[in-house]
Amino acid sequence: MSNEETLTILACQIQIPQTNSAKERDEHLSQSTKWVSDELAARPADLVVLPELSSIDYSRAAFSRLDEIAEPLDGASFQAWRSVAQEFRVFVSYSFARRGAGGNYISVAVVGPDGNLVGHYDKLHLAQYGASMEKEYFERGAHLMTYDVRGFKIAPIICYDIRIPELCRTLAVEKGVDLITHCGAYYRDESFHTWHSFATTRALENQVFLLSLNRAGDQYGNSLFCWPWMDENKGPVTFLQHEETFKYITLDRDDLNQARSNYSFLKDRLEDYNGLPFLAGSRSPSAS
């Protein structure tokens, strides 16, 4: 195989402690970079992926302290993960509370093996139901992001984003994405058990690889990785129910090509559905 036919991900379902101060945030960053470094020292990867807000706790207590613990793009999280990226020559996708000109954002940033920022994505859709309270503390994003690793085009999305089908469709069809990295902070509230259905559907309907990565903990866990085609013979890669899990997953471009060749539903879409004429139904004739 050529060196651009496979991509190995290290997916990190990590536990995130209480982080109500910059000091606690930085202590967690030090610990999590050590965990990831230990994994990479034992086995290399091309891309490391971490869950939503991997730098801080997902809680009102933490969010009420965003004046202290939110960061600029070149803040503590970037400095921590760029060291890992440079040492192990790997791309790292991490998530943090970003302080920007318009307010605070739930963001994913990617740092490359050279230690430079590849780009960042701000969560487009903010969740405000169940255990979520994001609209009270964060602003919504306003742009998409894609980047390339070993010939695979990758796009990050964040948690609630996956429930809006137009986003993944745009990334797959308009932007030509091969892999969607979906980082989440899925708490076991009333919406938890619907999450996997959305993840598997987005992967299948868009014929992409999709990593749906949660944090670890008593109320979190159950991450999964989805292939571009799944059936009774090949299902998603599942993670532990609660515990921290570091899982290596290798993507093969042949899987992508085969799914898109065997099942042509993306190619069979019409260019425009809004322009189709609408014929209203009529009442059934009355029985005589």
Side-chain angles (χ1 to χ4, degrees), residues 57-68:
D57 184 22
Y58 190 108
S59 68
R60 284 191 180 277
F63 295 170
S64 67
R65 302 294 300 275
L66 288 175
D67 286 349
E68 178 181 354

Side-chain angles (χ1 to χ4, degrees), residues 16-30:
I16 300 170
Q18 178 177 296
T19 53
N20 295 340
S21 67
K23 179 176 182 293
E24 290 177 335
R25 177 200 66 202
D26 294 350
E27 288 173 349
H28 165 62
L29 280 168
S30 178

Side-chain angles (χ1 to χ4, degrees), residues 4 11 13 22 39 46 78 80 85 98 108 115 134 137 146 153 175-176 183 206 209 211 239 241 276-277:
E4 291 193 345
Q13 180 175 283
E39 292 291 328
D46 303 307
F78 172 72
R98 185 178 75 84
V108 165
E134 295 165 7
Y137 298 97
T146 66
K153 182 171 281 191
K175 306 303 180 185
C183 66
N206 294 299
F209 298 107
L211 172 64
F239 289 58
Q241 187 171 1
L276 293 175

Side-chain angles (χ1 to χ4, degrees), residues 3-286:
N3 64 354
E4 291 193 345
E5 290 184 339
T6 62
L7 170 71
T8 298
I9 302 171
L10 172 57
C12 307
Q13 180 175 283
I14 61 170
Q15 188 152 356
I16 300 170
Q18 178 177 296
T19 53
N20 295 340
S21 67
K23 179 176 182 293
E24 290 177 335
R25 177 200 66 202
D26 294 350
E27 288 173 349
H28 165 62
L29 280 168
S30 178
Q31 180 62 65
S32 56
T33 54
K34 181 181 184 305
W35 290 333
V36 172
S37 294
D38 288 346
E39 292 291 328
L40 292 171
R43 180 181 173 185
D46 303 307
L47 170 65
V48 174
V49 183
L50 294 138
E52 180 182 18
L53 291 174
S54 52
S55 300
I56 67 169
D57 184 22
Y58 190 108
S59 68
R60 284 191 180 277
F63 295 170
S64 67
R65 302 294 300 275
L66 288 175
D67 286 349
E68 178 181 354
I69 62 178
E71 315 167 43
L73 273 173
D74 61 352
S77 294
F78 172 72
Q79 300 302 331
W81 291 113
R82 79 180 303 199
S83 297
V84 175
Q86 287 177 305
E87 180 178 357
F88 294 98
R89 305 298 299 167
V90 67
F91 289 81
V92 181
S93 174
Y94 60 94
S95 182
F96 65 109
R98 185 178 75 84
R99 184 184 307 117
N104 294 312
Y105 301 84
I106 298 175
S107 301
V108 165
V110 179
V111 58
D114 58 3
N116 291 325
L117 182 71
V118 175
H120 79 281
Y121 166 76
D122 301 322
K123 190 173 187 177
L124 283 177
H125 307 98
L126 301 177
Q128 192 73 22
Y129 61 85
S132 303
M133 72 301 283
E134 295 165 7
K135 293 180 181 179
E136 300 172 42
Y137 298 97
F138 296 99
E139 305 299 321
R140 64 176 291 268
H143 70 273
L144 303 177
M145 174 198 169
T146 66
Y147 62 103
D148 291 329
V149 180
R150 291 172 63 89
F152 287 76
K153 182 171 281 191
I154 304 167
I157 65 172
I158 305 174
C159 208
Y160 182 50
D161 280 338
I162 204 165
R163 298 177 187 264
I164 314 299
E166 291 83 359
L167 174 57
C168 289
R169 180 66 98 195
T170 296
L171 291 172
V173 173
E174 304 295 334
K175 306 303 180 185
V177 164
D178 303 311
L179 164 65
I180 294 174
T181 54
H182 170 234
C183 66
Y186 279 103
Y187 187 85
R188 292 174 183 271
D189 61 12
E190 62 269 25
S191 70
F192 184 86
H193 293 285
T194 65
W195 150 44
H196 283 191
S197 297
F198 280 91
T200 55
T201 300
R202 295 293 92 84
L204 288 169
E205 71 186 359
N206 294 299
Q207 299 184 309
V208 294
F209 298 107
L210 192 147
L211 172 64
S212 195
L213 184 66
N214 201 10
R215 55 180 62 194
D218 291 343
Q219 297 299 324
Y220 295 98
N222 280 122
S223 302
L224 76 163
F225 174 83
C226 301
W227 308 98
W229 178 255
M230 293 173 288
D231 55 26
E232 69 277 13
N233 298 312
K234 185 176 183 179
V237 176
T238 57
F239 289 58
L240 294 176
Q241 187 171 1
H242 300 287
E243 294 85 353
E244 288 189 317
T245 313
F246 295 87
K247 192 175 286 290
Y248 286 83
I249 304 165
T250 297
L251 287 57
D252 191 321
R253 184 166 293 282
D254 284 345
D255 288 337
L256 199 65
N257 293 338
Q258 186 172 348
R260 293 173 178 178
S261 174
N262 290 348
Y263 305 97
S264 61
F265 41 82
L266 277 184
K267 294 178 182 177
D268 291 338
R269 292 176 309 111
L270 303 183
E271 289 187 7
D272 180 20
Y273 289 86
N274 290 322
L276 293 175
F278 177 73
L279 301 179
S282 59
R283 292 183 180 180
S284 299
S286 300

